[in-house]
């Protein structure tokens, strides 16, 4: 999806012009994928822009960095303030937020420990990740022939740049075959996640999503949807799923910061349920988007207001 450029990017403690937020071609991250990042959204509310689950996203960023022994030279509070600053500086009401911590320029070779660490926070307006129609019409997905990397090869709890090359293979395969997105199985044949989304099914009014131990990312939208669904009175379980569970589901949907709650209308050319967005998916979307707008008192703590 093309990026809509704005004015400023936060880089190592200051706001720089968009065009100046560069790294050297010999940076460690460019060669070895040694970066960790987050994907966050800020939503428009009656009290100005508000960042959705900022604290949880930043905690995950710091956990990812710790796993790769990257020292982030700022506190969570400083990155929180920087996120608010860069949204304000660009005058955005709603946007995507992409913090990126990477091993920069200075050393070559696999050993990353002597490379400097650079921190960037970019923001830009971003629409529906899987297409403007997708939130209503749903998407068509393919179970990838590529397996999700095992957790003892690359830990799925970390959101690290280099790890995404696995999802890139699956995404390319699905697009070339005419689908919108891929879902990967783990080496045991259980469902993990999409290339950038967790997945839920609905069967006879019950919701199920794969457990984190299947090897999917511990998605923050997944957590929000688990809470919202339980609060709405649904029975929700985290259980291993196989591909036929998707074929036989009444409803199926993705969750993710970029994808929000996107219905899945077809899996491997088989219609899911009636082949369009189901009623429970629609209800969850309604509750989710109301919360992102700051309209739900119960979830007020999930928003960090940029102008406060
Ligand atoms: N799985 C993968 C592989 C992802 O990249 C993402 C996006 N971060 C997700 C799931 C969904 O996570 P979240 O809800 O935290 O955006």
């Amino acid at each position: 999806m093309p990026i809509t450029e704005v004015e400023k990017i936060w880089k190592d403690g200051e706001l720089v012009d968009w065009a100046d937020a560069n790294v050297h071609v010999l940076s460690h991250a460019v060669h070895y994928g040694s970066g960790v990042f987050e994907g966050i959204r800020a939503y428009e509310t009656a009290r100005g822009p508000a960042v959705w689950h900022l604290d949880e996203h930043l905690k995950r960023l710091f956990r990812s960095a710790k796993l790769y022994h990257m020292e982030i030279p700022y506190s969570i509070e400083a990155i929180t303030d920087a996120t608010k600053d860069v949204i304000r500086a660009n005058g955005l009401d709603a946007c995507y937020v992409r913090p990126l911590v990477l091993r920069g320029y200075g050393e070559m070779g696999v050993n990353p420990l002597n490379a400097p660490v650079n921190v960037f926070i970019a923001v830009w307006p971003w629409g529906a990740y899987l297409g403007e129609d997708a939130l209503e019409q749903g998407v068509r997905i393919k179970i990838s022939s590529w397996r999700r990397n095992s957790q003892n090869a690359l830990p799925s709890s970390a959101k690290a740049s280099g790890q995404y090359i696995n999802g890139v293979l699956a995404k390319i395969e699905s697009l070339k075959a005419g689908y919108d997105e891929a879902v990967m199985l783990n080496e045991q044949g259980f469902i993990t996640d999409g290339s950038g989304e967790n997945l839920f099914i609905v069967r006879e009014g019950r919701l199920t999503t794969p457990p984190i131990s299947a090897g999917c990312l511990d998605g923050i939208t997944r957590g929000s949807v688990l809470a919202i669904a339980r609060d709405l009175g649904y029975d929700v379980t985290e259980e291993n799923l196989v591909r036929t569970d998707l074929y036989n589901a009444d409803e199926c949907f993705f969750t993710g910061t970029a994808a929000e709650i996107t219905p899945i209308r077809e899996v491997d050319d088989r219609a899911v349920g009636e082949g369009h967005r189901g009623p429970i998916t629609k209800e969850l979307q309604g509750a989710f988007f109301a919360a992102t707008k700051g309209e739900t008192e119960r979830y007020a703590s999930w928003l960090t207001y940029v102008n406060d």
Side-chain angles (χ1 to χ4, degrees):
M1 224 191 284
I3 296 174
T4 306
E5 292 187 11
V6 295
E7 294 269 307
K8 298 284 183 190
I9 290 179
W10 190 93
K11 180 185 181 212
D12 295 328
E14 51 183 343
L15 292 167
V16 300
D17 286 342
W18 180 275
D20 295 333
N22 299 319
V23 293
H24 195 276
V25 68
L26 295 181
S27 295
H28 198 276
V30 176
H31 296 256
Y32 307 113
S34 51
V36 297
F37 67 100
E38 270 303 317
I40 314 175
R41 270 189 196 268
Y43 287 95
E44 189 173 354
T45 78
R47 284 169 57 196
V51 188
W52 181 248
H53 282 299
L54 179 58
D55 201 44
E56 268 199 74
H57 279 284
L58 294 184
K59 282 184 180 148
R60 190 171 66 185
L61 180 72
F62 277 71
R63 285 199 302 273
S64 300
K66 185 177 173 194
L67 207 133
Y68 283 96
H69 289 279
M70 296 171 83
E71 191 83 39
I72 300 181
Y74 302 95
S75 62
I76 288 207
E77 293 71 33
I79 301 287
T80 301
D81 289 344
T83 303
K84 293 178 173 181
D85 284 349
V86 69
I87 295 171
R88 269 197 302 264
N90 288 297
L92 295 166
D93 296 323
C95 59
Y96 188 74
V97 182
R98 170 56 59 87
L100 171 65
V101 180
L102 58 84
R103 306 267 197 196
Y105 172 78
E107 294 261 335
M108 194 42 88
V110 173
N111 174 12
L113 297 174
N114 298 319
V117 172
N118 297 118
V119 184
F120 296 81
I121 308 170
V123 295
W124 65 90
W126 222 19
Y129 180 64
L130 294 170
E132 287 304 326
D133 290 343
L135 292 175
E136 224 179 290
Q137 305 302 322
V139 292
R140 298 175 57 249
I141 68 166
K142 174 177 168 41
I143 307 288
S144 185
S145 70
W146 296 100
R147 291 291 183 263
R148 181 82 145 99
N149 54 255
S150 101
Q151 299 194 61
N152 287 311
L154 292 167
S156 52
S157 61
K159 201 166 162 60
S161 308
Q163 298 187 196
Y164 274 78
I165 209 74
N166 181 214
V168 165
L169 282 173
K171 182 82 185 183
I172 291 172
E173 181 187 68
S174 68
L175 294 176
K176 294 251 176 225
Y179 300 87
D180 303 305
E181 182 56 292
V183 164
M184 280 183 280
L185 306 178
N186 63 22
E187 290 294 354
Q188 289 73 44
F190 294 118
I191 302 284
T192 61
D193 46 6
S195 70
E197 310 85 5
N198 293 106
L199 175 146
F200 284 71
I201 63 164
V202 180
R203 192 122 193 245
E204 289 167 8
R206 294 180 57 217
L207 281 83
T208 311
T209 191
I212 301 306
S213 58
C216 56
L217 185 75
D218 187 356
I220 287 161
T221 322
R222 174 186 182 277
S224 309
V225 168
L226 283 171
I228 291 171
R230 285 185 177 128
D231 289 343
L232 288 170
Y234 289 106
D235 180 5
V236 191
T237 53
E238 297 171 62
E239 260 169 43
N240 273 319
L241 298 172
V242 293
R243 62 197 299 166
T244 47
D245 291 322
L246 310 194
Y247 302 159
N248 295 331
D250 300 328
E251 299 181 34
C252 192
F253 59 87
F254 276 138
T255 64
T257 299
E260 297 166 312
I261 299 179
T262 298
I264 296 169
R265 71 167 196 274
E266 249 180 65
V267 181
D268 292 343
D269 303 304
R270 292 159 179 88
V272 177
E274 303 292 319
H276 54 73
R277 176 175 65 178
I280 294 177
T281 308
K282 190 175 174 193
E283 185 186 5
L284 290 167
Q285 284 180 323
F288 175 83
F289 285 116
T292 62
K293 292 192 195 97
E295 292 169 358
T296 317
E297 189 49 44
R298 178 171 208 155
Y299 307 127
S301 66
W302 292 358
L303 288 168
T304 300
Y305 288 89
V306 169
N307 296 325
D308 281 5

